[in-house]
Each structure stands twice: as structure tokens, then as C-alpha cells.
Amino acid sequence: MFFKRTLFLFLLQHLAIVSGYHHYHHPPHYSLDTDKTALLAFKRTISSDPLSTLANWNVTNDVCNFTGVRCNKQRHRVTQLILNSAGLVGLLSPFISNLTRLRHLEIVDNDLFGIIPPEFSSLRHIIHFQLDWNNLHGPIPDSFSLLSNLALLSVMGNNLNGMIPPSFFSNCTLLTNVDLSSNAFSGTIPPEVGNCRGLWNLNLYNNQFTGEIPMSLSNASDMFNLDLDHDGNTDLDPFFTALANCSSLMELELAGMGLGGRLPTSIGRLGVNFSVLFLEENMISGPIPPNLGNLTKLMWLNLTSNLLNGSIPAEIGGLLNLELLSFSHNFFTGEIPASMGQFPHLGLLDLSNNKLSGKIPKSLGNLVQLNYLFLNNNLLSGAIPPSLCQFPDLSILDLSYNGLTGSIPPDISRLHEIRVFLNLSHNLLEGPLPMELSKLENVQEMDLSSNNLTGRIFPQISNCIALRMINLSHNSLGGPLPEALGNFLEP
């Protein structure tokens, strides 16, 4: 009897445990009511709502009519939450994770703080996840690898840190757009990023990544924009060779990454639609490969502040779609190629702070769309070509700190639309000030100092009615100062 009673109690206890176990693990039932409860719980964590964006979030209103909320067609569940630039201050609440049918989460340009809750991994249907420009900290949760439907992840402009979990890129293979820029992420860029073959935009700049750029990025053949920021590669050839597989690549921004080594010839084999190359503020040395001229769709080319040297290849003149070209702060030598006057769309040309020599090519006068021309701080010689004075929309012309000789050409009057700055200082220019300078009515600053100019300062200079500063010092000018100059003349 004792045995039977003991056996009965044991079975009863086991049944209770099993029953309790199944009750404990029974998945919760989610509905529109639980979605409403979750959103009201999120609202309670908001300490400031200066625009009253959440004013109609209350018990009596239909949750599908809450500001920023959208439900599915059947109005069974919440599928979208968008609260941008509302000035919301408060904790990023884990209660959002109860919106288990959410497909689009976008809370941008607010002041949400705290971490990204690991509970957000319950949002298994999420496709668009965007929390840019808040005050979040901590890492990307490892559990985000469960968000296998995710196509867009953007958390730029926060204080997030730690390493990117490799599992995130291993499992979220539908990703097309990732922006983690302007945070404090560290470590290496996981090679698993190559598993996201549909990735077309990857922005990782303004972080603290180290190590080499993963070659697996070449698997993303649809890559359109690649903008990275870390310390690493010294051999750029494998990287650019791999990128040749990204036939859709149009933009590559690797500024300020501490890249070393030389520009490889493989750079000339980037995609046929490649249009933007930013490699400024690195430590890249050696010459520019001539086959860079093969990138005929290139519109923006910035190699500023590197250790590049040698002559500028004439093949650069084949980049007929260029709108911006900046080679400043390098060690280029030799003459400016005449072929650089072949850019019909060029708006900015900056060759300043190099060691370029010889005469300024007359062909530069063919750059009819030019707005900004910087040839300063070189070793240029000879006269200023009159053709350089025929730009119809020039705002800045800086030829200072060279060895230019001869007089200031009277054709300078043709720059009557120059609006900002004319700098011919620190050259060997001579002769009188041309009266035609008085026709530059829109120029704000004029610096002709440190030359060998002679003669008098004519009173008509006051016709330059927009002038705020004029510097004629360290010349051999004589005669009385025109009273109209007032305070515009620097000693």
C-alpha cells in the first residue's frame, strides 16, 4: 500500500511538473491589443514629447490611428512605426519587441538613450530597422543574427561601440543597405560581410575599425557605395582586384583610413559605371597609374593629402565626366598636363600644395564650367595665360605662392562674375595694377601682395563694391591712397 501511495504521489507530482512546464513555455498570444499595450508602454518611457507627437496615443483611440503607426490591411497587427525628428527623449524601450509583426521601424533624429535591447530579436518580420541620430550606446546585440529578413540596418550617429558580431552578417543574408557610420565600433570588419551578396551600400566611416579590408566584399557584386574607415591595408592591389567583381559599384569612399602602399593598376578595372573615388587623407605613395583614365564615368576624384608623387599622367584627360578633381597636398612634380583642359563639366580643380613646375597650360581656359581653381603653393612659372581669365562662373582663383612672372593680364576684367577670392600673392608679377581690376564688382577678397607691382593705386578700385579685404602690401606701389579704400586696405 505504501508503495502504491508513493508511486501515485510521484506520478501526480510529475504530471504537475510537466503540466506546469508546458504552461510556462506556451508561446504568448499576440494581437492588436498586445501591440497597443506595447506602444503605450513605450510611451510611458518617453520623458519629453515637445511636439506632442504621441498625444493621441491613449487607451481610447484605435492603435492603427496612433501618430506614426500603420497596421496591415486587415488591421490585425501593427506593421510600421515611424517617429522621425519629433524631439522625443527617453529610453529605447524593449516593449517594442512585442510588436512581433513589425516590418518597418524608423525612429530617427530624436534623443532616445540606452542600449539596443536584445529583445528586439523577437522582431522576426522586420525588414527596415533605422535608429539614426539618437544617443544610444552599447553593442549591436548578438541576437540580431536572428533577424533573417532584415534588408536595411541604419544606426548612424549614435554612441554605439564594441565589435560587429560576425554572426550578424552570416545569417542576415538579405541585407542590402548597412550604415553604422559615426559611432565608436572597433575591431575588424567581419569577413562574413561577403555572405550578403545583395549588399549595395555599406557605410562604416567614422568608427575605430582596424585590420584589413575583407576581400569577401567582392562577393557583393551589386555593391553601389562602399564607405569605410579604419586603419589597415598597405597592399591595395588584392583589394582593388577583388572589387573589380563588383560590377555595379559606383562609389568608393576610403578617406582617412591610414591606407598605405601604392595605387595598383587594378584600380583601372573598377566597374563601368564607377563614378566616385575618395581616397583623401591616407598615406598612399607612388605615382598615379595611367589606366586610372579608363574610369570614363568618373565624376568625383579626390586624392588629397597623401604621399603621391611623380608626374600627373596625361591619361587623366580622358575622364570627360569629371566634376571634381583634387590632387592637393601631395608631392606631384613636372608640368600640368595640357589634357587637363578637356573636362567639359569640371567645377573644381585643386592641384595646390604640390611641386608642379612649368607654365600654366593655356588649355585650362577651356574649362567653361569651372567654379574653383586652386594652383597655389607650387613651383609654377611664366606668365598668367589670358585664357585663364575667361571662366564665366568662377568664384575662387588662387595662383599664390608660385614663381609667376609678367604683368596681370588686362583680360582679368572678364572674370567679372568672380564672387569670393582672387589671390595672386607671393609671385614675381610686375608692372602697374590694371585698371580692369575695377570691373570685378562681385569679388569679396583680393590679395596681390608680395609681388613687384609698381605705379599708383587708382581710385576706381572702389568700384569693387563687394570688396571686404584687399591686400597690396610688399609691392613697389606709390602715390597717395585713394580715400574710397577706407578700411579695406591691409598694411
Side-chain angles (χ1 to χ4, degrees), residues 270-331:
L270 294 174
V272 293
N273 294 314
F274 191 70
S275 60
V276 175
L277 179 60
F278 285 171
L279 297 177
E280 69 268 25
E281 298 176 8
N282 284 289
M283 294 182 288
I284 302 170
S285 59
I288 295 176
N291 69 345
L292 186 65
N294 295 342
L295 304 178
T296 55
K297 296 292 183 68
L298 203 60
M299 297 172 65
W300 290 1
L301 175 58
N302 192 343
L303 304 179
T304 297
S305 298
N306 278 282
L307 304 174
L308 295 165
N309 55 37
S311 59
I312 298 174
E315 288 81 356
I316 290 292
L319 304 177
L320 298 181
N321 289 294
L322 275 181
E323 296 177 3
L324 179 151
L325 174 60
S326 182
F327 290 168
S328 69
H329 292 87
N330 281 285
F331 298 92

Side-chain angles (χ1 to χ4, degrees), residues 185-189 204-215 217 227-234 236 239 253-260 281-282:
F185 290 112
S186 57
T188 59
I189 299 172
L204 303 179
Y205 65 90
N206 278 350
N207 280 287
Q208 299 168 15
F209 293 112
T210 56
E212 294 191 348
I213 302 171
M215 297 300 104
L217 279 171
D227 194 345
L228 308 181
D229 176 14
H230 73 114
D231 297 324
N233 293 40
T234 55
L236 299 177
F239 174 66
E253 302 182 28
L254 304 175
M257 292 177 53
L259 296 175
E281 298 176 8
N282 284 289

Side-chain angles (χ1 to χ4, degrees), residues 29 61 87 136 194 203 207 221 269 282 294 366 375 471 475:
H29 175 69
N61 280 342
L136 302 170
N203 284 342
N207 280 287
S221 57
R269 295 193 293 272
N282 284 289
N294 295 342
N366 298 328
L375 302 180
N471 188 354
N475 281 287

Side-chain angles (χ1 to χ4, degrees), residues 21-30:
Y21 178 86
H22 283 293
H23 175 72
Y24 181 80
H25 285 272
H26 190 274
H29 175 69
Y30 292 105

Side-chain angles (χ1 to χ4, degrees), residues 150-215:
L150 198 61
L152 181 146
L153 173 70
S154 185
V155 290
M156 69 180 297
N158 283 280
N159 298 308
L160 299 168
N161 53 35
M163 300 177 67
I164 302 175
S167 59
F168 173 67
F169 287 118
S170 294
N171 298 330
C172 300
T173 54
L174 300 181
L175 281 167
T176 59
N177 190 339
V178 175
D179 194 336
L180 309 182
S181 59
S182 298
N183 282 285
F185 290 112
S186 57
T188 59
I189 299 172
E192 288 81 0
V193 68
N195 293 346
C196 306
R197 294 179 179 270
L199 198 63
W200 62 267
N201 181 59
L202 179 62
N203 284 342
L204 303 179
Y205 65 90
N206 278 350
N207 280 287
Q208 299 168 15
F209 293 112
T210 56
E212 294 191 348
I213 302 171
M215 297 300 104

Side-chain angles (χ1 to χ4, degrees), residues 12 37 41 69-70 72 74 95 105 112 123 149 163-164 168 196 209 222-223 306 320 326 339 366 383 410 445-446 475:
L12 187 65
T37 301
V69 173
R70 181 173 294 179
N72 59 3
Q74 297 79 21
F95 288 110
L105 175 63
L112 298 183
L123 303 174
N149 291 306
M163 300 177 67
I164 302 175
F168 173 67
C196 306
F209 293 112
D222 292 329
M223 184 71 73
N306 278 282
L320 298 181
S326 182
S339 61
N366 298 328
E445 298 184 10
M446 187 186 301
N475 281 287

